[in-house]
Amino acid sequence: MVRFFVYGTIVMVMSAETDGQGRLYIPKDVREKYGEKYHIVTYEDRIELVPVADDPLTAVREAAGELRDTSSDDIRADIEAEGKAEAREKGDDR
């Protein structure tokens, strides 16, 4: 296993081969950290394994954090204010 420091994140690079039946071994420490289920995302030049939460609804609620208790009007107002502030910084007052 090789570790790299990329943009403030430690990235671990591992090599693996499929067996005769196409199975890929995922090390125990990785399974313990990310779980047993993954989506396979294919690109033109690579694939990615994306962990699937055991309880997707709970995962979404945890990711949303404070947004759960915020009205859509408040969220919209925050987004608009942030956009206006960015426009002012860039000198675009539209």
Side-chain angles (χ1 to χ4, degrees):
M1 180 183 335
V2 179
R3 295 174 192 253
F4 294 98
F5 189 73
V6 180
Y7 301 111
T9 304
I10 295 176
V11 178
M12 294 185 300
V13 178
M14 299 175 220
S15 294
E17 294 181 17
T18 57
D19 66 11
Q21 295 181 333
R23 295 177 291 204
L24 184 66
Y25 169 75
I26 299 174
K28 182 179 180 181
D29 58 329
V30 174
R31 294 190 318 269
E32 287 175 345
K33 182 174 182 180
Y34 296 105
E36 298 284 332
K37 294 181 181 181
Y38 299 85
H39 290 292
I40 300 172
V41 182
T42 59
Y43 299 91
E44 286 185 28
D45 61 342
R46 69 184 188 280
I47 64 169
E48 290 182 8
L49 297 178
V50 180
V52 176
D54 290 332
D55 183 357
L57 187 55
T58 299
V60 169
R61 286 181 176 146
E62 288 174 1
E66 296 175 10
L67 292 179
R68 281 187 8 201
D69 300 324
T70 305
S71 73
S72 59
D73 290 337
D74 289 343
I75 293 170
R76 218 176 262 113
D78 286 347
I79 292 170
E80 185 176 332
E82 188 174 315
K84 287 180 179 179
E86 285 182 23
R88 279 193 299 276
E89 287 176 12
K90 293 179 180 179
D92 185 3
D93 59 356
R94 287 186 268 166

